[in-house]
Amino acid sequence: MTEFPADEPAWLDQQLTDRELAAAMCQGCPVADECLEPELRSGGADTVGVWGGLSADDRRELHPHWLRRGERAERGVAR
C-alpha cells in the first residue's frame, strides 16, 4: 500500500505554469522515465496532462525525437 504524506505539497498554493507544475510534481520520482514512456507510445502528439515530469507541450516537442530514437534502437544503430 502506498502512503502519502499528510502535508500538502509546498507548490499547491503557487501559480505555476504547466511546465513548472510538472517539474514540481514529479521531482525526485524514481519512475519518471517509466511513466513517460507509455504516454509517448499512446498519446504521441495528442498527449495531455503531466507524465514523467514533462508538460504536454514538452512531450509534443519530444515525441518526434523519441520516435527517431526508437527506430534506430530497433535497427540496432547506436545513438
Side-chain angles (χ1 to χ4, degrees), residues 50-67:
V50 171
W51 296 88
L54 298 178
S55 69
D57 290 339
D58 291 336
R59 289 191 314 281
R60 283 187 204 100
E61 186 176 323
L62 173 64
H63 188 252
H65 303 285
W66 177 82
L67 286 174

Side-chain angles (χ1 to χ4, degrees), residues 4-78:
F4 297 98
D7 297 330
E8 292 181 346
W11 46 262
L12 191 62
D13 294 331
Q14 297 176 10
Q15 293 291 336
L16 302 174
T17 66
D18 287 348
R19 183 172 283 132
E20 292 167 336
L21 179 60
M25 288 177 67
C26 301
Q27 182 179 12
C29 178
V31 295
D33 290 341
E34 290 84 353
C35 178
L36 179 58
E37 173 116 11
E39 180 60 13
L40 289 172
R41 287 185 186 276
S42 63
D46 297 323
T47 186
V48 295
V50 171
W51 296 88
L54 298 178
S55 69
D57 290 339
D58 291 336
R59 289 191 314 281
R60 283 187 204 100
E61 186 176 323
L62 173 64
H63 188 252
H65 303 285
W66 177 82
L67 286 174
R68 286 193 295 278
R69 178 202 57 121
E71 292 169 5
R72 285 197 313 264
E74 289 174 11
R75 292 193 311 255
V77 177

Side-chain angles (χ1 to χ4, degrees), residues 1-6:
M1 180 160 118
T2 303
E3 293 188 25
F4 297 98

